Structure formats: C-alpha cells, structure tokens
C-alpha cells in the first residue's frame, strides 16, 4: 500500500463512515446495531476506539471498552456502564472496508489496541467472534472459551474468545 496509513482516535466527523461500514458488514448477518448504539459504546471509552486512515480517509474502525472478563456484553444495553476496573478490555467490533482488506489494516488497529491495553494496565483482551470470524481471531492468538455462551443476539455461530495482552516485544 503506497498511501499513508494512520491509526487515530474517532472524531465526530468519522461517524457517517463508521456507521456505513458497520451496516455493510453486519446487516447481511442481521447483526447491525446502528448509529446510536455504536456511538454510545465509543462514548464509554474514547481512548480505546480508533479509526484507520488510508490516504487521509477512514478505511476501518475498532471499538473496544473495559468489560469484566468471561462476561458477554448485553447487546441491548447501550447506556453508560458502571465503572469497570482495569483488567480486561473487550473488543466490541472491528471492520475494514471491503476494498482495503488483506492489507494489514486490521493488524494496525489491533496493534494500537494492544498498546492502549498495556497503558491501561489490562491483562487480557476479549471479544465475541461473529459471522465465522473465529478463525481470523485464532490466527491472532485468541482462544475460545466454550463455557462462556454469547446470547442469541450475537448470531448462532458466535464464539467468546480472549488472549493475554502480549508483552511489548511479542507479536500482537
Ligand atoms: C476481519 C477483518 C476486520 C480483517 O481485516 P483485514 O484488514 O483484511 O485484516 P488483515 O489484513 O490485518 O489480515 C487479513 C488476514 O486475515 C484473514 N481473514 C480475514 N477474515 C477472515 C475470516 N473471517 N476467517 C479467517 N481468516 C480471515 C485473511 O485471509 C488474511 O490472511 P492472510 O494475511 O494470511 O492473507 C475484515 O475482513 C472485516 O472487516 N470483516 C467484516 C467484519 C468482521 O467480520 N469483523 C470481525 C467480527 S468480530
């Protein structure tokens, strides 16, 4: 990729793009949450939510927020969460624009998230893999927890997974 790639925090001007990327990725699976829910999740933890720019334009996003380990967030709840101590960061969502996939943009976003997790003092990063993405996450060091069962709202093939926050020199 010759155009410059930059990961940064989400601003108000990014939301039309974020909402469109989310809709295109998840509406076909019946899993799209829509603008209000996405914005409310980012509002909980702006320092752990990012976009990746390619050539100065947003090409993907990642939303993560503190959430207790081995607990699946309730998709119906979008209001402010009670204060959660450092320990586990939950990666709620990661989407890269279809035309720009397989160029390492998700990896850029995940590296930034790992750095934010370290700075916060988190020990683990969790997520719910949806739409058959569990193989993607396994290749990035996430392991399933078969005893933690996501609610039906995440889709039939949802898998709760987590990994330790890697040390600075480990591959993230
Ligand atoms: C998953 C996703 C974010 C990856 O973004 P990306 O920028 O293409 O990722 P990267 O370029 O960093 O890595 C791509 C690698 O992941 C692999 N990959 C992507 N999606 C995959 C999937 N569903 N299952 C297995 N592997 C997958 C690619 O084959 C590629 O492997 P390679 O490098 O060996 O060729 C992107 O495909 C996407 O937005 N998908 C739709 C939304 C989604 O499913 N998000 C995760 C749900 S929790």
């Amino acid at each position: 990729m010759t155009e410059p790639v930059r990961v940064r925090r989400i601003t108000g001007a990014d939301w039309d793009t974020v909402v469109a990327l989310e809709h295109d990725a998840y509406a076909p699976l019946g899993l799209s949450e829509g603008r209000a829910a996405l914005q409310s999740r980012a509002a909980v933890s702006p320092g752990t939510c990012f976009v990746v720019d390619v050539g100065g334009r947003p090409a993907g996003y990642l939303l993560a927020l503190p959430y207790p380990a081995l607990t699946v967030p309730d998709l119906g709840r979008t209001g402010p969460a009670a204060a959660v101590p450092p320990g586990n960061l939950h990666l709620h969502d990661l989407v890269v624009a279809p035309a720009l996939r397989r160029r390492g943009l998700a990896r850029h976003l995940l590296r930034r998230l790992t750095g934010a997790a370290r700075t916060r003092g988190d020990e683990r990063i969790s997520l719910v893999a949806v739409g058959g993405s569990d193989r993607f996450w396994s290749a990035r060091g996430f392991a399933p927890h078969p005893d933690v069962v996501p609610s039906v709202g995440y889709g039939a093939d949802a898998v709760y997974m987590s990994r330790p926050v890697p040390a600075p020199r480990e591959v993230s």
Side-chain angles (χ1 to χ4, degrees):
M1 193 175 314
T2 53
E3 292 181 283
V5 174
R6 177 178 168 233
V7 177
R8 59 172 175 80
R9 283 197 190 191
I10 297 175
T11 71
D14 295 318
W15 282 106
D16 284 351
T17 303
V18 169
V19 169
L21 287 170
E22 194 263 0
H23 181 271
D24 290 352
Y26 296 117
L29 304 173
L31 298 175
S32 178
E33 293 190 287
R35 183 182 297 258
L38 294 170
Q39 287 181 330
S40 98
R41 295 191 199 291
V44 170
S45 185
T48 57
C49 297
F50 308 104
V51 294
V52 59
D53 285 332
V54 175
R57 293 183 182 194
Y61 71 89
L62 182 159
L63 305 181
L65 61 166
Y67 208 81
L70 304 177
T71 309
V72 180
D74 179 354
L75 284 178
R77 185 189 167 117
T78 56
V84 178
N88 187 70
L89 202 51
H90 188 79
L91 196 170
H92 177 70
D93 196 8
L94 167 66
V95 175
V96 169
L100 294 168
R101 288 180 189 167
R102 304 195 73 169
R103 301 181 193 196
L105 295 180
R107 194 174 295 263
H108 278 283
L109 284 161
L110 287 168
R111 274 204 205 106
R112 180 66 175 265
L113 181 69
T114 300
R118 274 195 211 109
T119 302
R120 281 175 34 84
D122 290 311
E123 289 152 19
R124 297 194 77 81
I125 297 174
S126 61
L127 56 86
V128 178
V130 300
S133 63
D134 49 315
R135 283 187 309 117
F136 171 81
W137 294 114
S138 294
R140 274 138 198 91
F142 287 81
H145 295 265
D147 47 324
V148 181
V149 181
S151 59
V152 289
Y154 284 93
D157 56 359
V159 182
Y160 183 90
M161 307 176 83
S162 79
R163 68 161 293 168
V165 173
R169 288 184 190 190
E170 285 179 55
V171 177
S172 52

